[in-house]
Amino acid sequence: MNKLRVAVSVIVLCPFLFAQQPAQQEQQVQQVAESKSAGKDVETKAAPKISARDRELALQMLEISDSEARGFEAPMRSYSLLQIAQIFVPINPEKARGLLGDAFTASLGIQDDDNTKGMLQEEILKTLLPLSQADVEERLPQAELSVRKQVADTIVRKYAEKKQFEPAMELINQVTGWDEFPYLSGTQLMLAMPSEMSAEKLGLFTQAVNSYKNHEHGKRIMMGDGSLTNLVVRFGSKMPAKVVLEAIDEILSQAKKGDASHNITVGSSAGTASFSSIYDYQLFALLPALELLDEGRAESLLKENQQLKTQLQQFPDGMRSIDSNLTDAPPQKGKGGVSISVNRNGTSAGASRDYMRQEYQRQALDIAAESAKNPTQAIARTTTLPVKLDGAPMSPRAYALEEIAKVNSQGNPGAAKQALDELRKIVPDLVPRNQIEVLSTAARIYLKIGEKESAQAVVLEGFKAAEKMLAKDTDANDPNKALKAWWPSADAYRRFVEVQTNISPRSAAKVLKEIGDPEIRTSASITVSRSLLDLPTKRFVVAEKRKNQNSTSISEED
């Protein structure tokens, strides 16, 4: 399970990254189209392993869920119809189109929650895009500005993949007119362009620099390929020195002008680096490029920032030393990968914690890799990792044991079980959110290696934990005001209902009856339908809005 989490204390800003699942759906839709043209049974081809009985049960449950969802308030109605539509994408695209249209219409009724409205609209339109680009273009003017930009980003990337460069550049011009240059899709387009299109690449690069100059970024954090910084790092060596220096000057100037206390930690298998401000991060990323163009200025800036010397000694090529994919060539699959965490207005203790979290994650992966050859020794090594990390939403030891179980789940199920058994021993010592994650992972792997009884026992523990979380989410003194489908308790029910369905669909139906909240019950029922049709949830959101907490996390599973 590959997870990407960008965590910000107090409030988390979500960039609405909903690209992977619609891409998978697009591939499924293409398979449906090919099957139709070949005169084959589309539904049988889409789900060859599903029994007729399970399929009938799933579709019956979806009809009920659809009916119930239409009686909900706008936020849950929009969410539920979206979830149902995603199930129908590979088996009945036309029905999915209708459901997605209804889901988008429902989203327009969401009041006083632009974040939830935007996240739902984004996923709706990106799910709809492979089914009907015309439908998306028709609804785009009604969407939130952030959604228009993100969906346009996706369309540009689709054009780039198909080498349709002219319409892609036209759309980038349109997006830049709405607000600011779309650095993410601009990067993808430039990576896709052949070397003979150097003039077009320069045009895009110059457009990006001018757009950045025309916008005040203040304390906004722009990192990764959604930033001008990465454009400079990737393509600066192929661009005229004048425009590259202009870009570097503007990035550093704005970073210094609007800087505040931030703890930024970036890490990969190559190591981990921490920074106490946006400016320090930007200088670290840009200094290698600056050295090639203006060595004297680079030396002067480094003298003013002595603390970066140590970082650059460890990572002489800046961000390229940490992320090997950060070049002007398309990224290689399975290569690179960076974890980024940002703590606003944090303390040195926060920075140290983020650093240690990244380091422990790296150590855990090293131990898991060792387990392929010597699982017993690897499991013993996990005791060197702490069970909990104060202030951080992870357990280094639990993470290592999970990874060992995954590594050995196919070739050495006995070792996987040993790791899971050790994992269960530390569950009581974890915070409730970690307990849910650990138990659900353990249950899935137990089931995968044929330990059905152990999986069932873990699921029962999970449902008890979910009940406690629901009580907290509905606490009258401090209720969770986030979208109900994104409550920690709803996520817990989703996880364990999914496994329970794989153990026994009949028993899963009984569990649904015991969920008291009708909206969470409907959400869990949709999960059962997904599982019956072998379409497990790939991305899920967990959010809390309380008196002293406002956080959102997005996780992905392969």
Side-chain angles (χ1 to χ4, degrees):
M1 176 170 57
N2 295 325
K3 293 185 178 181
L4 169 64
R5 296 189 179 189
V6 180
V8 181
S9 64
V10 183
I11 182 168
V12 173
L13 303 180
C14 296
F16 308 152
L17 302 178
F18 291 101
Q20 180 176 332
Q21 187 162 299
Q24 294 168 336
Q25 292 166 340
E26 181 179 5
Q27 183 179 14
Q28 292 170 323
V29 172
Q30 182 63 34
Q31 292 171 345
V32 170
E34 291 172 354
S35 297
K36 284 184 175 179
S37 66
K40 297 178 181 178
D41 184 338
V42 174
E43 295 189 356
T44 301
K45 181 179 177 63
K49 297 180 181 179
I50 299 167
S51 70
R53 180 178 179 182
D54 284 351
R55 184 180 183 79
E56 182 180 0
L57 176 59
L59 294 177
Q60 288 176 350
M61 293 180 69
L62 286 173
E63 288 297 325
I64 295 172
S65 296
D66 186 336
S67 176
E68 292 173 339
R70 294 180 187 277
F72 295 158
E73 294 297 318
M76 278 300 294
R77 183 165 75 253
S78 178
Y79 172 87
S80 300
L81 292 175
L82 165 63
Q83 296 301 309
I84 296 169
Q86 288 177 338
I87 297 174
F88 277 107
V89 164
I91 59 177
N92 191 337
E94 283 305 307
K95 185 175 181 66
R97 280 182 64 190
L99 285 163
L100 290 166
D102 293 344
F104 184 83
T105 300
S107 76
L108 298 176
I110 298 175
Q111 304 293 326
D112 304 320
D113 193 348
D114 291 342
N115 189 52
T116 297
K117 185 176 185 179
M119 290 178 71
L120 289 174
Q121 286 184 347
E122 169 115 18
E123 192 167 5
I124 291 165
L125 293 180
K126 287 190 174 180
T127 303
L128 180 59
L129 185 58
L131 298 175
S132 173
Q133 186 167 326
D135 286 359
V136 172
E137 292 176 353
E138 178 185 341
R139 290 168 173 79
L140 208 54
Q142 298 175 275
E144 300 291 288
L145 174 60
S146 61
V147 175
R148 276 182 272 154
K149 291 165 58 180
Q150 293 294 332
V151 173
D153 254 5
T154 300
I155 296 174
V156 170
R157 290 198 296 272
K158 284 167 64 70
Y159 281 137
E161 290 170 2
K162 297 176 181 178
K163 308 299 182 184
Q164 297 174 342
F165 301 121
E166 186 173 340
M169 289 188 288
E170 289 178 1
L171 189 51
I172 281 181
N173 290 335
Q174 187 176 354
V175 174
T176 305
W178 290 338
D179 184 28
E180 188 172 356
F181 183 89
Y183 303 101
L184 179 60
S185 57
T187 297
Q188 298 302 316
L189 181 57
M190 291 174 69
L191 287 171
M193 285 177 166
S195 57
E196 56 265 26
M197 295 188 71
S198 57
E200 288 81 358
K201 290 183 182 181
L202 174 58
L204 287 168
F205 190 89
T206 303
Q207 185 180 11
V209 175
N210 290 335
S211 181
Y212 192 91
K213 291 171 66 176
N214 290 331
H215 290 82
E216 288 292 332
H217 298 89
K219 298 177 182 178
R220 287 173 59 194
I221 301 173
M222 301 179 71
M223 305 176 77
D225 278 336
S227 68
L228 179 60
T229 301
N230 266 29
L231 268 181
V232 173
V233 174
R234 282 187 182 277
F235 303 103
S237 63
K238 302 292 179 64
M239 299 294 158
K242 181 180 178 181
V243 71
V244 175
L245 287 171
E246 187 179 340
I248 292 173
D249 285 344
E250 188 64 29
I251 294 169
L252 294 179
S253 174
Q254 289 207 30
K256 200 161 194 175
K257 188 187 306 181
D259 215 347
S261 177
H262 289 78
N263 292 320
I264 301 171
T265 304
V266 295
S268 70
S269 58
T272 307
S274 294
F275 310 92
S276 59
S277 68
I278 299 173
Y279 179 81
D280 285 350
Y281 166 80
Q282 300 284 28
L283 185 58
F284 170 81
L286 296 170
L287 204 58
L290 183 60
E291 284 178 331
L292 296 176
L293 302 173
D294 190 339
E295 189 175 354
R297 179 147 183 257
E299 289 179 0
S300 176
L301 288 173
L302 192 56
K303 286 180 181 179
E304 297 173 6
N305 295 269
Q306 290 293 316
Q307 65 270 26
L308 284 185
K309 275 192 173 181
T310 302
Q311 303 281 31
L312 287 167
Q313 286 173 353
Q314 183 180 1
F315 307 107
D317 220 7
M319 281 303 298
R320 279 190 172 182
S321 294
I322 295 177
D323 185 358
S324 58
N325 267 330
L326 207 55
T327 70
D328 63 348
Q332 299 178 30
K333 290 184 178 181
K335 182 181 177 184
V338 175
S339 174
I340 302 175
S341 63
V342 181
N343 190 329
R344 293 177 183 269
N345 302 315
T347 63
S348 58
S352 176
R353 182 177 60 245
D354 287 341
Y355 181 88
M356 291 306 299
R357 179 179 60 80
Q358 300 252 16
E359 278 297 292
Y360 281 132
Q361 182 172 327
R362 185 180 63 79
Q363 291 176 30
L365 291 174
D366 285 344
I367 292 172
E370 174 196 330
S371 73
K373 295 181 178 179
N374 193 334
T376 301
Q377 181 174 306
I379 291 171
R381 278 187 63 195
T382 63
T383 59
T384 64
L385 300 175
V387 173
K388 291 189 290 187
L389 195 59
D390 291 341
M394 77 167 295
S395 165
R397 190 181 304 178
Y399 181 66
L401 289 167
E402 285 178 345
E403 293 302 312
I404 291 172
K406 293 173 189 173
V407 167
N408 290 277
S409 60
Q410 289 186 340
N412 192 345
K417 182 180 185 303
Q418 184 183 352
L420 293 175
D421 291 346
E422 291 298 316
L423 180 61
R424 290 180 65 185
K425 293 177 183 178
I426 64 174
V427 168
D429 299 324
L430 305 178
V431 298
R433 181 71 194 136
N434 282 155
Q435 289 183 10
I436 295 298
E437 294 175 347
V438 166
L439 287 172
S440 62
T441 299
R444 286 197 302 271
I445 300 176
Y446 270 132
L447 196 58
K448 182 178 180 180
I449 62 177
E451 295 289 335
K452 189 173 180 178
E453 290 186 6
S454 295
Q456 183 65 79
V458 171
V459 167
L460 293 177
E461 290 179 46
F463 282 130
K464 291 178 182 178
E467 290 176 9
K468 293 179 181 178
M469 297 183 84
L470 181 58
K472 182 181 179 182
D473 279 326
T474 56
D475 181 2
N477 294 321
D478 190 13
N480 188 352
K481 296 183 179 180
L483 179 70
K484 192 174 290 186
W486 295 341
W487 283 1
S489 56
D491 177 59
Y493 278 115
R494 177 197 63 78
R495 288 169 179 265
F496 297 112
V497 162
E498 187 173 273
V499 181
Q500 187 66 58
T501 304
N502 290 326
I503 294 173
S504 168
R506 180 174 295 183
S507 62
K510 292 180 180 178
V511 170
L512 292 177
K513 295 179 181 179
E514 297 174 2
I515 300 176
D517 186 282
E519 292 175 321
I520 292 182
R521 183 170 59 247
T522 296
S523 182
S525 178
I526 295 170
T527 296
V528 172
S529 297
R530 277 185 175 275
S531 297
L532 288 170
L533 295 170
D534 196 26
L535 295 169
T537 307
K538 295 294 184 181
R539 176 183 282 103
F540 43 92
V541 179
V542 179
E544 292 189 75
K545 285 186 179 180
R546 303 181 188 275
K547 294 176 182 177
N548 299 312
Q549 182 178 7
N550 188 353
S551 64
T552 302
S553 68
I554 302 173
S555 300
E556 296 180 351
E557 291 186 0
D558 289 339

